[in-house]
Every structure is written in C-alpha cells, then in structure tokens.
Amino acid sequence: MPVDLSNGKPLAWDSAKLDADTKAMLDNLQPNILQGHVRESMSLLLVRFGDGPDGRRFLRSLVPLMKSARKHLEEVRDFNRSKKPGTPYVGVGISKLGYLKLGESTTKFTDNAFKSGMKRRKDTLSDPAVGAWEKHYQEEIHAIVLIGDATSEPVAATRTRVLALLPKSAKIVGEEKGEGLRDAQGRGIEHFGYVDGRSQPLFLADQVAAESGTNWNPFFPLSHVLVPDPLAPHPSRHFGSYLVLRKLEQNVRAFREAEEALADALGLKGDDRPLAGAMLVGRFRNGTPLRLHGKPSSDGHPVQNDFSYRDDPGAKCPVSAHIRKANPRDSRDGGLERALGVMMARRGQTYGRRTDRPWDDAGPETRPTGGVGLLFMAFNSSLQNQFEFTQQTWADNPDFPAGDTGHDPVIGQGKREVKVRYPKTWGGTKLSAPQRQVPQTVTMKGGEYFFMPSLAYLKSL
C-alpha cells in the first residue's frame, strides 16, 4: 500500500512493525531531510551541465557516495549509543533547468515556484535585482551537490572524489563553504550572536518524545516535508523534497548599532540593555525566549522552547520580533493551523570566519560589515506555501499580524516605512513612542530552488 504521508503519528522508523513501503521510502530517501545531518563543515558545489547524457551519468555516479535516510538514522543511533562516527553526507538537488538539460519533462512537478526558478520570483520575495546577485548565482545552475560532516578533512576528501567524477562537459559555476559557529557553551549561533536552529518541525518518534511539551507540539506529518518523486520508478514509494538555497550576508556592525540605538531610545541601562536585542529577535543571545523571561537565564540551562504566544499580546515578546513573525505558533498572530502549514525543515549553515567573539558585548565598531552570513537551506513539500508564504506574507509584510507591526527585523526585505512601538518594560502595558524600524542588515546575495530526488531516481539515470 502507498506510504501515508499524512499519518497523525510520528514515524517510528526503527519499529519492527514498519511496513515494506515505508521501509522502501526510507531506503530511497536522501538524508538530512527528516533529520538534520551533522554539517559543522560544508561544501556546496553549484553545477552546470554542458551535455545532458554526461549530466545523467555524473549524477548516477554519485550514488555510491551517498547514503539513504535509513542509513543516516542508524548512524545517528549508533553515535548516541557508542559515539561511533558516521560517514560524510552527500546530497543532490536538481533545478528545473537542470531537469530540462537532463532531457526530462517537468510537467509532473506541481510547485510553480520550483518551475519558475528563484530568479523569476524576485519580485514575489522583494529580492534585489538579479544583476546585484553574486556572479555565480546569476548563471544557470543545473544541480547542487552538498557535502557535510563534523570536520573539514572528510569533507575535503569527499569533495575530491566528487570532482573526479565531474565530466569535462560540466563545470562548477560556484562553491559555498559553510562552517559551524558556536558560542562559549558550544551552542550553535548565527553571526549576530544569537542561538539559532530551535523550533524545528520534527517527524520522527524519538525526536518528538524528547522535545514535546505542554505549550508547543513540534510534531509535523511527513506530508509537511516530503512529496512523491514524480520521475522515480515508483512515486508511491519513492519520495523527495523541495530545497530552497539562499545566501544571506549579515552586516553585524549595523545590527549591533541598531541594538544600541533601540536600548538608548527605550532608556535601558546596564544589565537591562540586552533586552533591546531580545525585542528584535524574540530571544536573548543565549536562547532564552523573551516570552518566558525578561532577562537571560543561566547559561547552565538548556534552551527553552516550550511556549506559545496565546496569552501575550506583545507585552513580553513584541509581535514584530523575528521568531514571532517567522513562527507565530498558536497565537492571535496567525493561528496554530497556519503555523503548522508553513514551517520549514531548516538545514542551513553559517559562512565566513570571525576573529572576534560573536556572542560577547564588544562594541559595534569591532564587528564585520560583510563577508559573513547564513547559507539558508530548508526543505519543503511546497515552496510556495511554506518558504515563499513565510517570506512574503509574514516577514516582508509590515501589517502582519496587525497594522504597524513592521518588517521582520532580521530577514524582512523591502522599504521599512512603518514605525514600531515596543513595551517600555518587559510584561508592562505601556508602550514606547513610535520608533523607526531597524535598518535592513541582511542582504540576499543569490540562490536557487532545487528538488532533492529519491535515490531510486538517481540510480535510474
């Protein structure tokens, strides 16, 4: 029987009762989709094919370097039990133009954003003109090869093996290198210095059991991230996912200056000044959610994620805060059903090296103005209904969830004309005078949409 992607229960992937079709799905699904693969070091190869048959042979030749989702989950289980290291991650995505170059029809793909390509969606996303993108993103990109592991050595070795398979008719039009960024306690952070990667949709029973709370249910059905691979031998058992890739450069100095200016405008002094940054992000730098605490909790505590906004009209966490705009949870800001419908499985990685300590309180003048940022990557079952909806309808919409909310302070794009008001004290009812929105400090430098096909499809080429 076909795999039921809308099953209301988390997937117990290692259950002895797992049916044959679900086993076939896991054996032919690429890793990193249902559960993030370790990728402290990453290489992203952007490929253009000069010859379709050569491109097909190249993609098929990568299969021996790849592993299935089931193999990845087994490696994770073994590592958790005995610290046995796993094998490197190799993932393959193909763009709409890539499929055409391979001689395939794209009529069976149903996502219009994928079939348009990111360049033609720039107005929908308020992106810069394509001519302002980095050169390699202006070119036609047919495929992406993702390589990741815990350290750089196996990534470099695997990259060498991949490049040895590349035919002379193909070329690498660009390469991105990601490198994990961590604070003094070892927590993953982004370049503004804030803990990142929380509030992920979870699909697997063991993950859901470890994360579930009373206010936030992280479980999402497989239909949220998987779709039948329309070109695979058996689409009812062979699945893939749509990948969005965007290179987002961060002006850290400008963001820190905005934090300082807001702290001054709100009259925050001493130990209360970090509240200004938390009002922009929705969490303090160490991950403490503003919804639960007006000050950062002890660094010895785990990052809290069991909360909702249903009883907070914005007195604790402003409705304009990044994590609230991007994930309203079950609140008046968008409702639980809408939040459940659009969350993406984020698998990004930071890029660019720093000589400073991103998490400390050093002045803005010590921070980089560019050259660092996020390689944003996320898996979707619908690029339109998930990624594009989140960016256009929530992040870039100054009237979401209500008038004069402003853009998402972190990822919002477009003119920031609306003025924003903040609570004068955490949990208080008095609001500040209208403040200018913080300037846009994240710049989209290029990207593309891909489909991550099943291993069964790649083997059939």
Side-chain angles (χ1 to χ4, degrees):
M1 59 182 294
V3 177
D4 181 9
L5 297 183
S6 60
N7 192 315
K9 295 181 180 180
L11 176 63
W13 65 272
D14 56 352
S15 170
K17 298 180 180 179
L18 207 63
D19 65 87
D21 284 330
T22 303
K23 290 179 181 178
M25 180 269 287
L26 290 171
D27 286 336
N28 287 280
L29 183 68
Q30 292 196 47
N32 200 38
I33 299 174
L34 297 184
Q35 177 167 333
H37 195 287
V38 61
R39 53 196 186 283
E40 287 293 293
S41 177
M42 288 199 79
S43 174
L44 280 60
L45 302 174
L46 305 175
V47 186
R48 180 171 180 172
F49 301 127
D51 177 78
D54 278 353
R56 296 173 73 92
R57 283 188 287 270
F58 169 68
L59 294 177
R60 185 175 66 241
S61 72
L62 293 178
V63 174
L65 302 181
M66 303 172 72
K67 59 188 167 190
S68 68
R70 179 201 289 276
K71 176 64 176 175
H72 171 219
L73 296 175
E74 289 173 347
E75 289 184 352
V76 171
R77 181 182 60 191
D78 291 344
F79 178 81
N80 290 336
R81 289 176 176 176
S82 64
K83 302 303 179 184
K84 177 184 176 182
T87 56
Y89 163 56
V90 176
V92 171
I94 306 172
S95 69
K96 181 264 184 93
L97 293 177
Y99 276 109
L100 294 177
K101 189 66 178 181
L102 296 176
E104 304 279 22
S105 169
T106 58
T107 57
K108 292 183 179 180
F109 289 96
T110 59
D111 192 284
N112 287 329
F114 170 73
K115 292 200 286 187
S116 296
M118 193 175 291
K119 293 182 181 69
R120 294 176 61 187
R121 309 292 285 189
K122 68 177 184 62
D123 292 336
T124 298
L125 300 170
S126 300
D127 284 340
V130 174
W133 295 11
E134 291 186 352
K135 273 291 187 182
H136 51 283
Y137 288 109
Q138 295 181 36
E139 293 201 39
E140 194 171 290
I141 300 171
H142 294 153
I144 183 171
V145 180
L146 303 99
I147 307 167
D149 210 335
T151 60
S152 60
E153 290 79 6
V155 172
T158 305
R159 176 184 180 275
T160 298
R161 296 179 68 185
V162 170
L163 294 180
L165 298 170
L166 192 72
K168 292 182 179 180
S169 61
K171 72 171 183 175
I172 304 297
V173 299
E175 180 177 6
E176 302 290 358
K177 293 189 176 182
E179 188 171 353
L181 193 63
R182 295 187 177 273
D183 65 12
Q185 285 70 40
R187 294 171 297 218
I189 61 174
E190 48 72 53
H191 278 284
F192 291 149
Y194 290 79
V195 166
D196 198 20
R198 300 298 288 131
S199 304
Q200 293 277 17
L202 303 180
F203 312 100
L204 307 176
D206 51 351
Q207 290 183 314
V208 172
E211 178 81 8
S212 291
T214 57
N215 295 295
W216 169 245
N217 179 9
F219 165 64
F220 291 76
L222 296 177
S223 58
H224 198 76
V225 73
L226 300 183
V227 294
D229 182 346
L231 302 181
H234 302 287
S236 64
R237 291 186 295 160
H238 301 150
F239 292 83
S241 187
Y242 291 104
L243 173 70
V244 51
L245 165 67
R246 286 163 76 80
K247 185 174 185 178
L248 304 177
E249 184 179 57
Q250 294 175 251
N251 185 336
V252 183
R253 183 178 301 176
F255 188 82
R256 286 297 180 91
E257 290 172 343
E259 289 179 317
E260 295 293 326
L262 180 58
D264 291 341
L266 298 178
L268 299 173
K269 307 290 185 182
D271 292 343
D272 289 330
R273 289 183 70 81
L275 183 61
M279 286 186 179
L280 298 176
V281 176
R283 294 183 185 268
F284 290 91
R285 285 181 201 153
N286 72 351
T288 302
L290 195 56
R291 171 65 180 87
L292 300 180
H293 303 281
K295 291 182 180 293
S297 59
S298 167
D299 278 337
H301 292 186
V303 176
Q304 294 171 288
N305 202 43
D306 184 19
F307 63 91
S308 75
Y309 301 112
R310 70 174 67 93
D311 298 321
D312 179 22
K316 294 181 177 179
C317 181
V319 293
S320 58
H322 164 60
I323 68 169
R324 190 162 182 170
K325 288 273 282 187
N327 177 19
R329 303 195 178 213
D330 48 341
S331 69
R332 67 192 70 191
D333 302 355
L336 179 61
E337 291 182 0
R338 288 173 65 190
L340 285 176
V342 303
M343 277 190 73
M344 298 162 279
R346 306 186 313 279
R347 303 290 186 256
Q349 185 54 284
T350 48
Y351 73 88
R353 292 193 171 183
R354 302 276 290 270
T355 56
D356 61 335
R357 296 190 298 178
W359 60 89
D360 69 15
D361 294 323
E365 68 278 2
T366 68
R367 308 302 183 178
T369 58
V372 300
L374 177 69
L375 300 172
F376 177 83
M377 291 173 277
F379 292 108
N380 308 247
S381 61
S382 170
L383 291 164
Q384 283 183 286
N385 296 337
Q386 290 171 271
F387 166 68
E388 289 195 347
F389 179 90
T390 299
Q391 187 69 45
Q392 179 186 36
T393 309
W394 287 353
D396 295 346
N397 181 3
D399 294 323
F400 174 78
D404 296 341
T405 296
H407 288 67
D408 183 313
V410 178
I411 62 171
Q413 299 191 127
K415 293 182 179 180
R416 302 191 175 195
E417 299 171 341
V418 170
K419 291 189 175 182
V420 181
R421 304 179 77 184
Y422 300 92
K424 298 188 75 171
T425 58
W426 182 76
T429 57
K430 292 184 178 180
L431 298 177
S432 70
Q435 306 291 323
R436 289 183 180 276
Q437 292 187 63
V438 298
Q440 184 173 326
T441 56
V442 173
T443 302
M444 191 274 200
K445 307 296 285 185
E448 188 54 280
Y449 292 141
F450 301 93
F451 186 73
M452 305 292 284
S454 64
L455 296 177
Y457 169 76
L458 295 175
K459 292 174 184 176
S460 73
L461 291 174

